[in-house]
């Protein structure tokens, strides 16, 4: 790879990282929220390296007197690398001009839910609030592992985006969670019985546990009989399983 291209890649990559972290929340489509300081630091370092490399390259050219001083007298520059190296410009430019869409129903429909995989033996009493705001993961844990069956008969409220189901009478309320970056994303799904909104729509759902299986055991269905479904705004950080959003209508 030619030296000017190396300098350009360093600078563009650094500027791109700072653009998605300092001037918006686009970085949340790549990594979890806690990694923002690391991305900012990386962007600054890349820009400084690009500037230092440019200064060094400029001084060397000035000392040589002309750009082909080290070509062995043949009039050709042998410092080039493989042509494929130019493809590295694509991810650098994408940070500046293109943001990938957030993962949604298409991704979630192609992988199983990770709901209720963490063993729990002790649960705090549920507050008396009705409807009860709860996350998809907590609802799944209560349904399949809370032997006190505290969720029975309770009206709960959850939020997420819509994923189509194979059954005509139900669909999935979904959240996608990342541990580090979008590459390790996992989905949490809750089956909702009732009319299905458009896929990928963010909604707040109110309802009660769908009685199927033995509540408090693995046989219990992680499902809800919907009483109301209201459209909600997409959260800034859509890769987390947070408490319900406020419906927009």
């Amino acid at each position: 790879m030619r030296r000017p291209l190396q300098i350009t890649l360093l600078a563009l990559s650094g500027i791109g990282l700072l653009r998605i972290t300092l001037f918006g929340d686009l970085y949340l489509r790549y990594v979890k929220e806690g990694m923002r300081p690391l991305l900012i630091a990386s962007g600054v370092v890349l820009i400084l390296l690009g500037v230092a490399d440019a200064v060094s390259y400029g001084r060397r050219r000035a000392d040589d007197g002309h750009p082909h001083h080290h070509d062995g007298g043949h009039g050709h520059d042998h410092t080039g690398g493989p042509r494929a190296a130019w493809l590295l410009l694509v991810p650098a430019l994408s940070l500046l001009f293109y943001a990938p869409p957030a993962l949604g129903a298409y991704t979630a429909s192609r992988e199983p839910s990770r709901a209720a995989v963490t063993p729990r033996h002790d649960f705090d009493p549920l507050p008396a609030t009705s409807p009860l705001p709860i996350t998809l993961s907590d609802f799944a844990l209560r349904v399949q592992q809370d032997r006190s069956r505290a969720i029975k008969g309770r009206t709960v409220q959850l939020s997420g985006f819509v994923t189509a189901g194979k059954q005509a009478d139900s669909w999935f309320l979904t959240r996608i969670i990342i541990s580090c970056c979008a590459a390790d994303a996992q989905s949490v799904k809750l089956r909702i019985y009732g009319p299905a909104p458009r896929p990928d729509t963010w909604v707040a759902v109110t309802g009660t546990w769908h009685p199927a299986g033995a509540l408090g055991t693995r046989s219990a269905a992680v499902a809800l009989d919907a009483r109301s479904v209201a459209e909600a705004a997409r959260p800034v950080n859509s890769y987390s399983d947070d408490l319900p959003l406020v419906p927009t209508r």
Side-chain angles (χ1 to χ4, degrees):
M1 183 185 299
R2 296 178 183 276
R3 188 75 172 275
L5 178 57
Q6 294 176 353
I7 297 170
T8 302
L9 281 174
L10 286 171
L12 288 179
S13 298
I15 294 171
L17 285 176
L18 294 183
R19 170 185 172 268
I20 65 174
T21 51
L22 294 178
F23 304 103
D25 299 299
L26 289 177
Y27 74 97
L28 292 173
R29 299 187 182 184
Y30 301 90
V31 298
K32 64 180 182 180
E33 189 172 9
M35 297 188 70
R36 185 176 193 174
L38 294 177
L39 290 181
I40 294 174
S42 298
V44 171
V45 169
L46 286 173
I47 292 174
L48 292 177
L49 287 175
V51 171
D53 204 10
V55 171
S56 174
Y57 180 65
R59 287 177 176 174
R60 181 173 299 178
R61 285 173 58 90
D63 292 341
D64 290 346
H66 56 82
H68 302 301
H69 183 77
H70 296 292
D71 64 0
H74 300 294
H76 301 288
D77 185 359
H78 298 288
T79 61
R83 293 182 179 179
W86 286 91
L87 295 177
L88 294 174
L89 279 172
V90 176
L93 291 174
S94 70
L95 289 174
L96 286 171
F97 303 110
Y98 171 75
L103 300 179
Y106 179 84
T107 301
S109 64
R110 283 157 175 76
E111 57 181 44
S113 174
R114 61 174 290 274
V117 297
T118 305
R120 285 279 300 274
H121 302 289
D122 57 328
F123 290 87
D124 296 328
L126 291 173
T129 306
S130 185
L132 173 68
I134 193 170
T135 67
L136 272 66
S137 297
D138 287 344
F139 179 81
L141 288 170
R142 289 280 183 175
V143 166
Q144 295 194 331
Q145 298 186 32
D146 184 3
R147 298 301 177 92
S148 71
R149 300 192 293 276
I151 205 73
K152 184 177 182 180
R154 294 295 304 271
T155 300
V156 298
Q157 187 179 57
L158 312 95
S159 68
F161 63 86
V162 178
T163 302
K166 295 182 179 180
Q167 300 180 15
D169 62 343
S170 65
W171 49 280
F172 289 101
L173 185 67
T174 310
R175 288 276 192 158
I176 290 180
I177 303 173
I178 65 174
S179 300
C180 176
C181 60
D184 62 18
Q186 295 179 307
S187 63
V188 178
K189 301 178 188 176
L190 169 62
R191 184 178 292 276
I192 305 294
Y193 286 90
R198 290 179 293 105
D200 271 327
T201 303
W202 279 82
V203 294
V205 182
T206 301
T208 56
W209 174 66
H210 179 78
L215 189 61
T217 71
R218 290 284 184 176
S219 67
V222 182
L224 196 77
D225 289 325
R227 292 183 179 177
S228 67
V229 178
E231 188 171 339
R234 177 188 291 273
V236 173
N237 184 4
S238 59
Y239 290 156
S240 61
D241 187 16
D242 296 326
L243 290 173
L245 304 169
V246 177
T248 56
R249 63 183 181 183

